[in-house]
Amino acid sequence: MTLSAPRGRPAESAAIRFEHGDGTLDVVDTVERRRYSLSLAGSDTPTHTDGGSFRFPVDSAVTVGTDRIALPSVIAVYVRDADGRMLAETGQFAERAFPAGSYSLELCAPMKLYVRLDGPFEITADASRMAIEFPEWTAVAIGARSKHDRPAATVTTTDDPEDVMAAISTFGSALKTTSPERSYPTLRGHPPTVERGPALSIPEGLSPPETGITIEVPPTLRHAYVVAPLAYYLGATVEPGDEARIRTASGFVHDFGTGCAFESEVERTLKQSFFLDCVTRTEGLYPIDLHERRAIERRVDLDFAALYDRPIADQLEAYLSVPYSIVEPHVPEWKLTSHVATTPTSIEMLPFLVNDLAVIRTPDAQRVESAQAETTAIEGFLRNSATRDTREAAAATASRTESYVEPTRTESLEHAWVGSETPMGASKATPQAYRNRLAREQSSGDISIAVVCNDPEMDEERDLVDDVYGSRDELPFDVAVHRDLTRDRLRTVLETDVDYLHYIGHIEPDGFECPDGRLDATTLEGVGVDAFLLNGCRSYDQGMALIDRGAIGGIVTLTDVVNTGAVAIGSTLARLLNNGFPLRAALEVAKDENVIGEQYIVVGDGGVSVTQAEGGAALVYTVNEIQGGYKVSVRAYSTSIEGMGSIVYPTISGNNEHYINSGLLREFRCSAEELRLFLRSSIVPIRINGELYWSDQVSVEDFN
């Protein structure tokens, strides 16, 4: 049952809902559509309580009596005393007892989750489960807060670069703190949105924090766009100047250089200040054992304990006194580089890119004709499978003259293109998609998935994905499978509220192929589908039409794709999306499985995900046999709620450190028994000899 507040008590926040039944308390984030289940042994019926007694803010809270709280997975739990001092951090294989006293527990769940209780109590964990146990029936308070954050207001700006700089200067108003803890994504806040208009208009309350930091750049759109993420992160104002530089109230100056060096230096400054904030914050609220601190501390002459309490401008000056070459090997792989066309139409995308802490670069791209683009992908297929079908698919593109743009790849895990062109090797980001996400209705219901197969020749893919979607026991799914839909029935599916659509079938630029003709998505009044995969030839135009009419993000094809390759990509994407990978990250992993993957791109918001990742971040493991055991490497992909600056704790035997999210974390050495235990602990993607498998499909012997 869904709990309602008793008379005289405040109602629960619309963002967080508690559902109780059969000894289970489900905590539901209705905005981000995340769920976490707590099993309460011997419990009574929870009742709502005032959340003001929690040390950290909560959206809603309940009290309940129980003698045991069982968690569905192993997560980090931070234990604090009544004064807020952190006493312990527990994780896999924990066995900690705490004496009588008042405590606050922070559970690193898909939402911010807190438990207020009186001891004594114990925390125990094995490889896959965790529990908080009491010697007798105990009343506890459980509070939760959504990790979702909305823009506070909208700024209107003209196309004049100096007005754009003024708009960007408001971005820092979203920061919830100027301490190093702002490197946590939950403490940064979403910048105000921006729209173009006839005059500059900044609502009250959007002044940046008093950081004493100013960024000066020549008054061009290029310079303004590139410094936007840095200005946001530093809480800096952006002002016109003859030279590109940072200056502080104390007189410190850091030059960005000119020409190509300007963009690279801005990027390095963002990464260096962010990374060293992640290290410095271990002196504050979360004194965890951070791998990156161990790696960098002996290489720099910085007193992190003293720096923690210094003003942000002083911290920045100290950070930039360290040569970037020293910190560069330890900076996490950046989540996203956005290639932004320096036109006024790009202005409205800035807040969404900044919210992702993306690196912004101006276009350095190669223009590619469509025949050349498709031939690049299919040549690899022909080398391995010179069939009649693939030869005909390659030849069919020779007469098309559509043009694409191929942004220069950087070291970031993901890439996005902001401009009128169609990108290759990067997602196509549009402000409408992000606005659609902000407008998404709250829901605490099942995760709704529609699978549509309108091509009998691709029944194999339908059968494969039908077994995948909804296969996670801890989450509620509603999966509907359709085939051979007419135009009217497909229209109904597209206009109905659905979390995710997996479409299999023929698509042309002017519509979806149905038994009775084509359905053109541009004729739809509105779209209820949030995210989608259109696994058919040349689905880009129809995918963009879905975005324009209400969808948030999707995966589409640029050109013709061969059925065998499409089935391989479609089934791989299904498992990744079902396990919590966002669209863009899922495609980055999946396209390595088949050369035809280069013909797929993400349109709209590539950070949207269909389900929650079990451990917060989406992880891919690579296992290789070595002498005396196995080598396991871990690569992390950020999600919408576990972004840049969040923490990853790989549940691998022998690990006792935390890592900054994003990219290759490190390599671990395991014995055969430790690897066997890891494979049983959860279902995760694993690469063996360059091919992707899942941990429930393999055994230790497969690595030999």
Side-chain angles (χ1 to χ4, degrees), residues 164-492:
V164 175
M165 290 179 184
I168 292 171
S169 296
T170 68
F171 289 177
S173 65
L175 296 176
K176 300 177 182 179
T177 178
T178 57
S179 76
E181 275 86 7
R182 75 188 185 286
S183 54
Y184 283 112
T186 53
L187 293 178
R188 288 198 288 270
H190 198 301
T193 54
V194 176
E195 62 182 26
R196 298 162 67 198
L200 178 67
S201 176
I202 299 176
E204 292 184 9
L206 295 187
S207 299
E210 296 290 336
T211 62
I213 301 174
T214 301
I215 296 176
E216 295 178 350
V217 289
T220 71
L221 291 181
R222 176 206 174 208
H223 286 88
Y225 291 175
V226 169
V227 300
L230 180 63
Y232 161 71
Y233 184 71
L234 296 179
T237 57
V238 183
E239 299 179 359
D242 294 332
E243 298 178 358
R245 63 181 186 171
I246 288 178
R247 61 175 173 82
T248 68
S250 65
F252 170 71
V253 174
H254 180 78
D255 291 322
F256 291 136
T258 60
C260 296
F262 160 70
E263 297 189 12
S264 297
E265 186 57 31
V266 171
E267 177 181 345
R268 286 193 292 266
T269 303
L270 173 63
K271 291 181 175 180
Q272 184 160 345
S273 56
F274 167 83
F275 170 71
L276 291 174
D277 269 340
C278 289
V279 175
T280 303
R281 75 188 184 193
T282 59
E283 293 290 337
L285 295 172
Y286 298 91
I288 59 175
D289 192 353
L290 185 68
H291 170 79
E292 288 80 3
R293 175 162 182 167
R294 286 176 177 264
I296 196 68
E297 193 165 24
R298 64 181 181 273
R299 294 179 170 87
V300 297
D301 185 21
L302 295 175
D303 185 342
F304 293 112
L307 273 174
Y308 178 79
D309 292 316
R310 299 294 299 160
I312 183 174
D314 292 354
Q315 292 168 346
L316 178 64
E317 181 176 354
Y319 294 163
L320 296 181
S321 70
V322 179
Y324 186 70
S325 59
I326 293 178
V327 302
E328 183 177 20
H330 309 286
V331 172
E333 291 179 79
W334 217 249
K335 173 187 176 182
L336 178 64
T337 290
S338 296
H339 306 264
V340 180
T342 54
T343 59
T345 55
S346 300
I347 292 171
E348 297 182 0
M349 267 301 304
L350 291 180
F352 305 112
L353 301 177
V354 163
N355 187 57
D356 241 351
L357 214 60
V359 168
I360 291 181
R361 290 197 170 192
T362 54
D364 176 15
Q366 174 186 2
R367 296 190 179 277
V368 184
E369 295 303 312
S370 61
Q372 177 187 347
E374 192 158 349
T375 300
T376 298
I378 294 187
E379 278 178 349
F381 238 133
L382 294 174
R383 284 194 295 270
N384 299 311
S385 178
T387 66
R388 177 179 177 182
D389 287 345
T390 54
R391 286 195 298 269
E392 290 178 352
T397 69
S399 61
R400 289 198 290 273
T401 58
E402 301 169 53
S403 63
Y404 301 94
V405 64
E406 188 172 11
T408 301
R409 298 287 294 185
T410 71
E411 295 177 351
S412 294
L413 292 173
E414 305 166 23
H415 291 76
W417 175 264
V418 179
S420 59
E421 300 86 351
T422 301
M424 290 182 62
S427 62
K428 168 81 169 185
T430 66
Q432 185 59 52
Y434 290 84
R435 294 191 196 102
N436 294 343
R437 184 171 187 169
L438 292 176
R440 180 166 67 169
E441 295 182 358
Q442 298 177 351
S443 172
S444 61
D446 295 352
I447 300 167
S448 54
I449 295 175
V451 179
V452 176
C453 182
N454 266 15
D455 181 2
E457 294 183 5
M458 295 186 71
D459 278 347
E460 178 186 359
E461 180 178 344
R462 184 205 62 186
D463 294 340
L464 287 171
V465 302
D466 189 26
D467 293 335
V468 169
Y469 291 128
S471 59
R472 293 174 61 183
D473 294 337
E474 78 275 19
L475 298 176
F477 286 88
D478 178 10
V479 182
V481 180
H482 312 272
R483 63 178 302 163
D484 299 330
L485 294 185
T486 62
R487 286 179 297 174
D488 285 344
R489 291 178 61 202
L490 179 57
R491 180 187 295 272
T492 299

Side-chain angles (χ1 to χ4, degrees), residues 29-215:
D29 182 338
T30 64
V31 182
E32 289 293 335
R33 305 188 183 187
R34 300 292 185 261
R35 178 181 295 262
Y36 199 70
S37 299
L38 304 173
S39 296
L40 307 176
S43 64
D44 54 13
T45 300
T47 59
H48 278 282
T49 187
D50 181 13
S53 60
F54 287 85
R55 176 166 296 275
F56 297 101
V58 298
D59 291 326
S60 186
V62 297
T63 57
V64 64
T66 183
D67 56 20
R68 187 174 189 268
I69 303 174
L71 312 184
S73 58
V74 177
I75 58 176
V77 177
Y78 302 127
V79 182
R80 303 179 190 275
D81 64 15
D83 296 323
R85 290 189 298 267
M86 194 163 125
L87 304 176
E89 184 273 327
T90 62
Q92 195 176 43
F93 303 111
E95 192 170 341
R96 293 290 301 269
F98 298 88
S102 296
Y103 298 90
S104 174
L105 277 56
E106 179 177 348
L107 281 60
C108 296
M111 64 290 297
K112 301 296 288 186
L113 190 58
Y114 305 96
V115 179
R116 189 165 48 80
L117 54 86
D118 290 325
F121 69 98
E122 292 183 352
I123 298 179
T124 58
D126 57 20
S128 58
R129 293 291 182 266
M130 199 170 204
I132 304 165
E133 299 178 289
F134 308 93
E136 58 186 10
W137 187 93
T138 301
V140 300
I142 301 172
R145 183 177 81 250
S146 172
K147 293 183 179 180
H148 179 78
D149 214 347
R150 296 183 61 84
T154 297
V155 175
T156 302
T157 179
T158 70
D159 297 345
D160 181 84
E162 293 194 21
D163 285 349
V164 175
M165 290 179 184
I168 292 171
S169 296
T170 68
F171 289 177
S173 65
L175 296 176
K176 300 177 182 179
T177 178
T178 57
S179 76
E181 275 86 7
R182 75 188 185 286
S183 54
Y184 283 112
T186 53
L187 293 178
R188 288 198 288 270
H190 198 301
T193 54
V194 176
E195 62 182 26
R196 298 162 67 198
L200 178 67
S201 176
I202 299 176
E204 292 184 9
L206 295 187
S207 299
E210 296 290 336
T211 62
I213 301 174
T214 301
I215 296 176

Side-chain angles (χ1 to χ4, degrees), residues 607-638:
V608 68
S609 54
V610 180
T611 68
Q612 64 201 49
E614 183 175 316
L619 304 178
V620 177
Y621 296 82
T622 300
V623 180
N624 293 292
E625 186 181 17
I626 58 175
Q627 185 174 2
Y630 301 87
K631 181 174 66 177
V632 180
S633 62
V634 186
R635 184 174 295 276
Y637 291 86
S638 298

